[in-house]
Amino acid sequence: MKCRFSRALMASAATVLLSLGVTEQACAQAKASSAPLAGSESVGLEEIVVTAQRREEKARSVPISITSVTGQALENSGYTALTDLQYVVPGVQYDPTQGAAFQIRGVGSTSFDFSNAKSVNVVVDDVVMDAQRDNGLIGLTDVQRVDVLMGPQGTLFGKNSTSGVIAITTNKPVIGQFAGNGYVSYGERNDRIANATVNLPISDHAALRVSGFAQGQDGKGRYVVLDRNLGRVDEYGVRGKLLLLPAPALEVVVAGEYTHHVDTSIRVPVGGPAGTSFAPAAAVTAQQIALGVRPGPENADSADGSMGHIRTVNSGGSIHATYQLGEHTLTSITAYRETAYDNDTPADLLPGNLYAYIPFNEGRLKTKKFSEEVHLASPTGRPVEYLLGAFYNDLNAKQTQLQWGTLGAPLFSPTGVRTPTLYALTGAFDPITRALLGNAVKFDATNRAAAVFGQVKITPVERLSVTFGGRYNHDHNSQTIGYLNIDPVPVAGYTPTFIATSSAPTSDFRSGSVKGGRFTYRIAPQFQITPDAMVYATYATGYKPGGVAFVGNRYDPYNAESVKSWEVGFKSELFDKRVRFNADVFSSKFTNFQATILTPVTTGVGGFILASAIGNAPGLRSRGAETSIAVRPSRDLTLGGSLTYTDAEFTNYVASPTANYTGTRLTNAPKWQTSLTVDYSREAGANLTLKAHLDYAYRSETQTVTGAILGDILAPPVARADGTSTPNSTYSRIPAYGLLNGRLSLVKLDNSVEFGVYGRNLLNTYYSTGWQIYGALGLLHYTTPNAYRTLGAFAKVNF
């Protein structure tokens, strides 16, 4: 029955989409304006309005490379997570390993360390989402648009913006209107979405908007011993906004949210040539096969005897107040947010009576942040426009982590007798007395930032403008490391003897702080060739503060990161706004880029060791070109596409006396990315409209581990003349792939009801998202539900 259902949906979608014979649309996903052009039966592309410069402006007049995606475009794509933006916007990537983070133009820091700032700033309704392990938004319900700003944006968005900004805008309440919508969908592998939004008028001066959602999907993989799903995702949450107009010149929006995410998307075995670091012992592989798991590059199953999961809970709120001071606008944004991130990811590959490695791996992270921003904006359309502001942010992260294992011996005997000793990988012994300080580690990191910023746009003549921007940031990052004894009974079920695998740093190396300030600026001339065509150039600088890293129970300060970037671009709307064409070339040079790689760290008692830690790569370069086009040839059809070329590599990075990464590409940084989209609609009779959507996203090959790509995973490191060598990272290569999504529906002419079918990854293109050599477990990888075809049906009601 399930197979017939899948085939029927696929055949219906394919038949209609192929009969349309259309192939593309721009990422901007601009909808048609409601009024036809004079003397024409067609309509033009709707104007795209963004807040890239902290005020509403037409995207075609802003001297920055921007891709804007509407909420409707995200719904059409079928994606449900903000991280899926990487399949919608060329130039955006997401790295699920090493702490997880976004990248733009190939560049982004990913780190397990808590003092490290992100390279891509995620901003939701003008609130910076900078907490560690917080992607900014769970669920894409009631999103108005997502604006992706390419390149350094530190002048107006601060230190977390050396690579770019992802700015999400959700819908605001509407005074005097009762309206809402509901959406449900269901597909293969229990793929499900249910959400609803309602706009409630309270008075002539107040309105409330509330959204709720529940969504998820069963993974493709299985815990074969436990007979449980592996890769399952479950999410739910509620958001609300209260709009108040207490005075004629004052608008206040009070927003709050609670969201919950849990998944079992953990790494699974791949294996490799016997006798190499890519494969566990032959007996371990044989036991996996006997239990029904065949390690390989497309394996999604595990024979682990315990189930891993990751849980994230976000809660918080903000007050966004806008006051009109004559022609000027004064804005205050006050926000508070908490995130709880629980990481339970055992790594054994087999039941504990057969084999164990790290059966107990639990982390508990709690973050709290407060931020305040105030800015004053002058009226637009004047020879001189300006914006002045100040910003304060206080982020605190507290984490406890335990890793207890046998490192290869079974956890318990066939008769159930537990091993009397466990290694505490996150514990430590005193370097002087050798006494055990604790079986787990705790971190406490605080990142404080204060800034003043300003931007002025001068238009000396009618078509020529120059924008000058500047920001002074002062940062204070501090972190401490400590040790504690966690009761093993609730975790392991018994009380073993613990042996720490490393010494702690001496007491004077268990805390540290870094203070510093930096002025960054931006200069952007632009020339209006015609009312609908503009050329611009931008030169911008940016920075991220230094910090103190604690990795492998060690202390290591790292330096501030800086970037200098230029961009030259062209923006246009042609043929009575039926065509929108944008193009740019760019180059960014980073100094002391904060990278996670093998780095020398002090032992605290003299000497150094190599650990996977935050360190500084002296030189990094990202350069390339971007272009996008949107075309509306008729009232029924909108086409477009985007193409990005990025060349991102380390220009100077000797990480240790033996490891040299100079000339290697950045991880998760494809050279080529493209997207093609089409939307088509026509009246089908019986008071119905037929709508069809198709989108395709392609990315060239990438690698998920820094190093050389040599074609053979067993090739030796590349020897260099200076005595260093470049490690071989061929095992982490992800081949080029493309994802095709489709959607076909019928809509009542009054837009009150829509129902149809959808398909994600229609070509069933498989890909991994990350690779990792995990000690004696060999080669592991990460998988995603998006790597499998998903067909389903949906219905939507508007009222």
Side-chain angles (χ1 to χ4, degrees):
M1 180 67 184
K2 185 176 181 180
C3 184
R4 291 197 298 271
F5 171 72
S6 301
R7 289 171 181 164
L9 283 172
M10 184 176 178
S12 299
T15 300
V16 174
L17 293 173
L18 288 173
S19 68
L20 294 175
V22 291
T23 58
E24 56 184 324
Q25 180 189 9
C27 277
Q29 260 315 282
K31 296 180 289 182
S33 63
S34 58
L37 298 172
S40 172
E41 294 183 357
S42 65
V43 294
L45 297 163
E46 183 181 321
E47 191 75 68
I48 298 176
V49 177
V50 298
T51 55
Q53 299 187 110
R54 293 299 200 187
R55 63 171 91 203
E56 289 192 349
E57 298 174 285
K58 297 177 181 178
R60 60 187 172 92
S61 66
V62 180
I64 300 171
S65 176
I66 304 173
T67 298
S68 186
V69 185
T70 66
Q72 182 61 54
L74 292 172
E75 182 181 303
N76 288 343
S77 72
Y79 294 124
T80 59
L82 185 63
T83 55
D84 294 331
L85 200 65
Q86 62 182 314
Y87 309 122
V88 180
V89 180
V92 173
Q93 302 88 34
Y94 182 77
D95 182 0
T97 65
Q98 298 291 344
F102 282 101
Q103 298 172 222
I104 289 180
R105 292 175 172 171
V107 183
S109 291
T110 57
S111 171
F112 288 118
D113 194 83
F114 302 108
S115 66
N116 186 239
K118 300 175 182 178
S119 299
V120 176
N121 198 349
V122 178
V123 180
V124 180
D125 291 330
D126 294 325
V127 176
V128 173
M129 302 291 176
D130 58 335
Q132 299 87 348
R133 317 296 184 267
D134 182 2
N135 290 325
L137 195 70
I138 294 175
L140 299 177
T141 304
D142 206 31
V143 171
Q144 179 183 340
R145 71 175 186 278
V146 178
D147 299 325
V148 180
L149 286 61
M150 307 290 190
Q153 307 295 329
T155 301
L156 296 179
F157 289 95
K159 64 179 181 180
N160 291 18
S161 312
T162 50
S163 297
V165 170
I166 297 174
I168 301 102
T169 302
T170 61
N171 289 306
K172 202 164 68 170
V174 180
I175 297 290
Q177 182 183 93
F178 175 76
N181 62 72
Y183 180 95
V184 293
S185 69
Y186 188 80
E188 296 178 283
R189 297 185 304 282
N190 199 24
D191 184 56
R192 60 208 179 273
I193 300 175
N195 61 57
T197 299
V198 61
N199 190 97
L200 299 171
I202 297 176
S203 70
D204 292 340
H205 304 285
L208 176 66
R209 191 176 187 93
V210 179
S211 298
F213 69 93
Q215 60 190 31
Q217 183 183 130
D218 291 352
K220 184 74 169 180
R222 300 291 299 172
Y223 282 100
V224 295
V225 173
L226 302 173
D227 193 25
R228 298 287 299 274
N229 188 260
L230 192 157
R232 179 184 173 107
V233 177
D234 288 284
E235 297 178 331
Y236 60 85
V238 61
R239 297 187 181 93
K241 282 186 176 182
L242 175 64
L243 171 63
L244 303 171
L245 303 177
L250 178 61
E251 177 187 277
V252 179
V253 177
V254 181
E257 76 160 0
Y258 175 87
T259 57
H260 182 280
H261 163 98
V262 64
D263 69 69
T264 60
S265 301
I266 66 167
R267 49 200 169 230
V268 293
V270 176
T276 71
S277 62
F278 301 107
V284 172
T285 300
Q287 289 169 323
Q288 291 181 53
I289 294 173
L291 291 170
V293 174
R294 291 192 171 272
E298 295 191 14
N299 173 52
D301 301 327
S302 176
D304 206 313
S306 56
M307 188 169 66
H309 70 273
I310 293 173
R311 178 182 289 107
T312 305
V313 178
N314 294 326
S315 60
S318 65
I319 301 175
H320 194 295
T322 304
Y323 185 71
Q324 294 299 135
L325 290 169
E327 294 183 314
H328 289 68
T329 304
L330 179 64
T331 301
S332 169
I333 306 160
T334 307
Y336 178 80
R337 185 173 176 88
E338 294 185 1
T339 295
Y341 178 88
D342 295 340
N343 180 8
D344 294 89
T345 54
D348 293 329
L349 302 185
L350 287 168
N353 65 318
L354 298 178
Y355 180 84
Y357 191 65
I358 305 178
F360 309 109
N361 185 12
E362 298 183 4
R364 301 290 179 264
L365 169 65
K366 294 186 181 298
T367 65
K368 298 180 180 181
K369 70 154 286 175
F370 169 80
S371 64
E372 173 64 37
E373 177 176 333
V374 178
H375 59 253
L376 178 70
S378 69
T380 59
R382 306 291 176 84
V384 178
E385 304 172 8
Y386 60 87
L387 184 144
L388 302 173
F391 176 76
Y392 176 77
N393 193 77
D394 189 330
L395 170 65
N396 177 254
K398 289 182 170 65
Q399 159 104 1
T400 60
Q401 182 75 44
L402 66 85
Q403 286 185 335
W404 303 336
T406 66
L407 301 184
L411 181 62
F412 51 89
S413 70
T415 60
V417 178
R418 300 269 180 167
T419 181
T421 303
L422 289 177
Y423 293 101
L425 282 73
T426 49
F429 54 82
D430 188 276
I432 308 297
T433 67
R434 315 300 285 182
L436 181 70
L437 296 176
N439 59 28
V441 64
K442 59 181 178 181
F443 303 94
D444 190 338
T446 298
N447 297 6
R448 292 192 179 96
V452 291
F453 58 90
Q455 181 167 288
V456 59
K457 179 180 180 181
I458 301 173
T459 306
V461 296
E462 185 177 355
R463 296 186 179 184
L464 177 65
S465 300
V466 183
T467 300
F468 300 93
R471 185 185 189 103
Y472 179 77
N473 297 271
H474 181 78
D475 296 278
H476 182 192
N477 292 344
S478 62
Q479 187 168 191
T480 63
I481 184 173
Y483 304 93
L484 72 161
N485 282 304
I486 292 179
D487 183 0
V489 174
V491 178
Y494 74 113
T495 304
T497 299
F498 288 100
I499 300 176
T501 58
S502 62
S503 68
T506 55
S507 58
D508 54 339
F509 278 87
R510 295 177 193 169
S511 65
S513 65
V514 174
K515 295 181 181 179
R518 188 73 62 89
F519 177 75
T520 57
Y521 62 92
R522 173 172 168 259
I523 304 171
Q526 63 189 88
F527 181 75
Q528 204 73 33
I529 304 171
T530 70
D532 296 319
M534 180 263 282
V535 292
Y536 69 92
T538 296
Y539 180 80
T541 66
Y543 107 111
K544 290 200 309 180
V548 178
F550 288 104
V551 178
N553 299 335
R554 298 293 182 253
Y555 163 88
D556 187 43
Y558 54 90
N559 296 321
E561 169 189 312
S562 62
V563 58
K564 297 178 181 178
S565 177
W566 60 261
E567 177 182 314
V568 177
F570 171 77
K571 296 186 177 185
S572 66
E573 290 185 347
L574 311 170
F575 306 110
D576 293 329
K577 302 187 186 302
R578 293 190 185 97
V579 177
R580 177 180 294 120
F581 176 74
N582 300 328
D584 67 82
V585 294
F586 64 88
S587 178
S588 298
K589 292 184 178 180
F590 290 77
T591 302
N592 284 330
F593 177 75
Q594 294 166 2
T596 299
I597 204 69
L598 283 174
T599 303
V601 296
T602 180
T603 63
V605 290
F608 293 85
I609 65 167
L610 291 179
S612 179
I614 279 285
N616 292 110
L620 180 155
R621 181 206 65 215
S622 173
R623 62 187 180 186
E626 300 157 336
T627 183
S628 66
I629 186 171
V631 183
R632 190 169 178 84
S634 69
R635 182 185 297 272
D636 299 333
L637 181 64
T638 306
L639 310 168
S642 297
L643 177 66
T644 294
Y645 171 78
T646 304
D647 180 17
E649 67 174 35
F650 290 110
T651 57
N652 180 12
Y653 192 16
V654 181
S656 74
T658 58
N660 190 337
Y661 297 94
T662 302
T664 61
R665 289 187 55 76
L666 271 65
T667 57
N668 297 286
K671 282 194 172 183
W672 294 97
Q673 281 185 268
T674 187
S675 67
L676 305 170
T677 314
V678 59
D679 278 287
Y680 179 82
S681 65
R682 62 180 297 179
E683 290 189 18
N687 200 32
L688 295 173
T689 297
L690 175 69
K691 294 176 63 177
H693 168 85
L694 192 70
D695 64 74
Y696 178 77
Y698 168 85
R699 63 177 58 193
S700 60
E701 70 173 19
T702 59
Q703 62 193 81
T704 63
V705 177
T706 305
I709 299 296
L710 304 177
D712 181 359
I713 64 173
L714 297 181
V718 178
R720 294 177 178 261
D722 60 0
T724 63
S725 62
T726 301
N728 178 11
S729 297
T730 304
Y731 68 90
S732 74
R733 175 181 175 269
I734 297 177
Y737 64 91
L739 301 177
L740 178 68
N741 304 315
R743 183 180 174 102
L744 181 68
S745 64
L746 290 172
V747 188
K748 292 190 67 174
L749 290 180
D750 62 2
N751 204 36
S752 60
V753 177
E754 180 179 7
F755 58 93
V757 294
Y758 68 90
R760 289 197 306 273
N761 194 356
L762 286 168
L763 303 180
N764 202 27
T765 301
Y766 178 81
Y767 61 98
S768 296
T769 59
W771 301 80
Q772 191 174 39
I773 298 177
Y774 205 88
L777 299 185
L779 184 59
L780 311 179
H781 73 152
Y782 295 84
T783 63
T784 171
N786 291 325
Y788 307 95
R789 179 169 48 229
T790 305
L791 304 175
F794 72 93
K796 184 176 183 179
V797 177
N798 296 306
F799 59 89

